[in-house]
Amino acid sequence: MKLALSAVFFIASVLMQAQAGKHFTFRNTPVFSKDFSEVARYSDFWLVLFGHRRIAADIVFIQTLQYYGSIHEDEISAGAKAERREGFGTGLVRYDKLFSYALRTARLDRNFEYAVTFTAAALAWVQKRENEAIALLTDAIDYWDGQKMTVPVFYQSSLYLSAIAVTKEKGIAEATEYMEKAVTYPDCPDMVKNILGEIYFRAKDYKNAVRVLEMNLDSREPNYRRKAIEKLEKIHELLISGQQRS
């Protein structure tokens, strides 16, 4: 009985995909391709085969966040001490598998730009692994370039690639122009806003630091809300003490 129901569900899924294909153009990494097979797991294959690419990618991205939000004892950088709350968004833990998680998500759903930009930002500006970030962004951008789209796609990925490349070649300060463009997007990862705010703070450009950090006051991620509040309070203290000395 279960086998019969599975067969019916599979046939219905295939027919639904065929019907949808008459009205929409789906562009994604083919299931039976080297790009897909070198990153996908067994569970991914079946979900994609049944027409659930987006669900498969969402599941892997959730796993990525869980992995990146946890302390892994065997991946703590030499000499670093990390408390549990300090795992997410810090460079204390190496997160050796972050790139493979990111590439798997990207190739499961080629439309999932947020997953690409989020993990690229983490790799480049938190983990200091610019080469992996560039490889991830290049993989995403090259795919869409190969589709010969009439409308440009993956705007943010191009900005991130430019910012990371400039960071690597010239330094972080020169990359702020591209990061400023990135934070104007509604779906820009809060991590990038936090990083840009920190750049301005360290440069003692408190006006711009406040402007960017305030963007994270309503962040859905408590950690970034907390960081924004703490940094804004610190800026306020610095400004007050500076006024008193003058």
Side-chain angles (χ1 to χ4, degrees), residues 197-213 231-232 234-239:
E198 181 67 23
I199 291 170
Y200 284 132
F201 176 79
R202 293 184 181 183
K204 297 184 179 181
D205 184 352
Y206 298 135
K207 181 179 179 180
N208 278 317
V210 169
R211 173 178 58 82
V212 175
L213 290 168
K231 192 65 67 175
L232 288 169
K234 180 66 175 178
I235 292 172
H236 180 71
E237 291 173 4
L238 289 170
L239 293 174

Coordinates of all heavy atoms in Angstrom, one line a residue, residues 197-213 231-232 234-239:
G197 N 29.2 48.4 10.0 CA 29.1 49.3 11.2 C 30.4 49.2 12.0 O 30.9 50.2 12.5
E198 N 31.0 48.0 12.1 CA 32.2 47.8 12.9 C 33.4 48.5 12.1 O 34.3 49.0 12.8 CB 32.5 46.3 13.0 CG 33.7 45.9 13.8 CD 33.7 46.3 15.2 OE1 32.5 46.4 15.8 OE2 34.7 46.5 15.9
I199 N 33.4 48.4 10.8 CA 34.4 49.1 10.0 C 34.4 50.6 10.3 O 35.5 51.2 10.6 CB 34.2 48.8 8.5 CG1 34.5 47.3 8.2 CG2 35.1 49.7 7.7 CD1 34.1 46.9 6.8
Y200 N 33.2 51.2 10.3 CA 33.1 52.6 10.5 C 33.5 52.9 12.0 O 34.1 53.9 12.3 CB 31.7 53.1 10.2 CG 31.4 53.2 8.8 CD1 30.2 52.7 8.2 CD2 32.2 53.9 7.9 CE1 29.9 52.9 6.9 CE2 31.9 54.1 6.6 CZ 30.8 53.6 6.1 OH 30.5 53.7 4.7
F201 N 33.1 52.0 12.9 CA 33.4 52.3 14.3 C 34.9 52.3 14.5 O 35.5 53.2 15.2 CB 32.8 51.2 15.2 CG 33.1 51.3 16.6 CD1 32.5 52.2 17.5 CD2 34.1 50.4 17.2 CE1 32.8 52.3 18.8 CE2 34.4 50.5 18.5 CZ 33.8 51.4 19.3
R202 N 35.6 51.3 13.9 CA 37.1 51.2 14.1 C 37.8 52.4 13.4 O 38.9 52.8 13.9 CB 37.6 49.9 13.6 CG 37.1 48.7 14.4 CD 37.7 47.4 13.9 NE 37.2 46.3 14.6 CZ 37.7 45.0 14.4 NH1 38.6 44.8 13.5 NH2 37.2 44.0 15.2
A203 N 37.2 53.0 12.4 CA 37.7 54.1 11.7 C 37.3 55.4 12.5 O 37.7 56.5 12.0 CB 37.3 54.2 10.3
K204 N 36.6 55.3 13.6 CA 36.1 56.4 14.3 C 35.2 57.3 13.5 O 35.0 58.5 13.8 CB 37.2 57.2 14.9 CG 38.1 56.4 15.9 CD 39.2 57.3 16.5 CE 40.0 56.5 17.5 NZ 41.1 57.3 18.2
D205 N 34.5 56.7 12.5 CA 33.5 57.5 11.7 C 32.2 57.1 12.4 O 31.4 56.3 11.9 CB 33.5 57.0 10.3 CG 32.6 57.7 9.4 OD1 31.8 58.5 9.9 OD2 32.6 57.5 8.2
Y206 N 31.9 57.7 13.5 CA 30.8 57.4 14.4 C 29.4 57.7 13.7 O 28.4 57.0 13.9 CB 30.9 58.0 15.7 CG 32.1 57.6 16.5 CD1 32.9 58.5 17.2 CD2 32.5 56.2 16.5 CE1 34.1 58.1 17.9 CE2 33.6 55.8 17.2 CZ 34.4 56.8 17.9 OH 35.5 56.4 18.6
K207 N 29.4 58.8 12.9 CA 28.1 59.1 12.3 C 27.7 58.0 11.3 O 26.5 57.6 11.4 CB 28.3 60.4 11.5 CG 27.1 60.9 10.7 CD 27.3 62.2 10.0 CE 26.0 62.6 9.3 NZ 26.3 63.9 8.5
N208 N 28.5 57.5 10.5 CA 28.2 56.4 9.6 C 28.0 55.1 10.4 O 27.2 54.3 10.0 CB 29.2 56.2 8.5 CG 29.0 57.2 7.4 OD1 27.9 57.4 6.9 ND2 30.1 57.8 6.9
A209 N 28.8 54.9 11.4 CA 28.6 53.7 12.3 C 27.2 53.6 12.9 O 26.5 52.6 12.8 CB 29.7 53.7 13.4
V210 N 26.7 54.7 13.4 CA 25.4 54.8 14.0 C 24.3 54.5 12.9 O 23.4 53.8 13.1 CB 25.2 56.2 14.6 CG1 23.7 56.3 15.0 CG2 26.0 56.3 15.9
R211 N 24.5 55.2 11.8 CA 23.5 55.0 10.7 C 23.4 53.5 10.3 O 22.2 53.1 10.1 CB 24.0 55.8 9.5 CG 23.1 55.6 8.2 CD 23.6 56.5 7.0 NE 25.0 56.2 6.7 CZ 25.4 55.2 5.9 NH1 24.6 54.4 5.4 NH2 26.7 55.1 5.7
V212 N 24.5 52.8 10.1 CA 24.4 51.4 9.7 C 24.0 50.5 10.8 O 23.1 49.6 10.6 CB 25.8 51.0 9.2 CG1 25.8 49.5 8.8 CG2 26.2 51.8 7.9
L213 N 24.5 50.7 12.0 CA 24.2 49.9 13.2 C 22.7 50.0 13.5 O 22.1 49.0 13.9 CB 25.0 50.2 14.4 CG 26.5 49.8 14.3 CD1 27.3 50.5 15.4 CD2 26.7 48.3 14.3
K231 N 27.0 48.3 20.7 CA 28.0 49.2 20.0 C 27.5 50.7 20.0 O 28.3 51.6 20.1 CB 28.1 48.7 18.5 CG 29.3 49.4 17.8 CD 30.6 49.0 18.4 CE 31.0 47.6 18.2 NZ 32.3 47.3 18.7
L232 N 26.1 50.8 19.8 CA 25.6 52.2 19.8 C 25.8 52.8 21.2 O 26.0 54.0 21.3 CB 24.1 52.1 19.5 CG 23.8 51.8 18.0 CD1 22.3 51.5 17.8 CD2 24.2 53.0 17.1
K234 N 28.2 52.2 23.2 CA 29.6 52.5 23.3 C 30.0 53.8 22.6 O 30.7 54.6 23.1 CB 30.4 51.3 22.7 CG 31.9 51.5 22.7 CD 32.5 51.5 24.1 CE 34.0 51.6 24.1 NZ 34.6 51.6 25.5
I235 N 29.4 53.9 21.4 CA 29.6 55.2 20.7 C 29.1 56.4 21.4 O 29.7 57.4 21.5 CB 28.9 55.1 19.3 CG1 29.6 54.1 18.4 CG2 28.9 56.5 18.6 CD1 28.9 53.8 17.1
H236 N 27.9 56.2 22.1 CA 27.3 57.3 22.9 C 28.3 57.7 24.0 O 28.5 58.9 24.3 CB 26.0 56.9 23.4 CG 25.3 57.9 24.3 ND1 24.8 59.1 23.8 CD2 25.1 58.0 25.6 CE1 24.3 59.8 24.7 NE2 24.5 59.1 25.9
E237 N 28.8 56.7 24.7 CA 29.8 56.9 25.8 C 31.0 57.6 25.3 O 31.5 58.6 25.9 CB 30.2 55.6 26.4 CG 29.1 54.9 27.2 CD 29.4 53.5 27.6 OE1 30.6 53.1 27.4 OE2 28.6 52.8 28.2
L238 N 31.5 57.2 24.1 CA 32.7 57.9 23.6 C 32.5 59.3 23.2 O 33.3 60.2 23.4 CB 33.2 57.1 22.3 CG 33.8 55.7 22.6 CD1 34.0 54.9 21.3 CD2 35.1 55.8 23.3
L239 N 31.3 59.6 22.6 CA 31.0 60.9 22.2 C 30.8 61.8 23.4 O 31.2 63.0 23.5 CB 29.7 61.0 21.4 CG 29.8 60.3 20.0 CD1 28.5 60.3 19.3 CD2 30.8 61.1 19.1

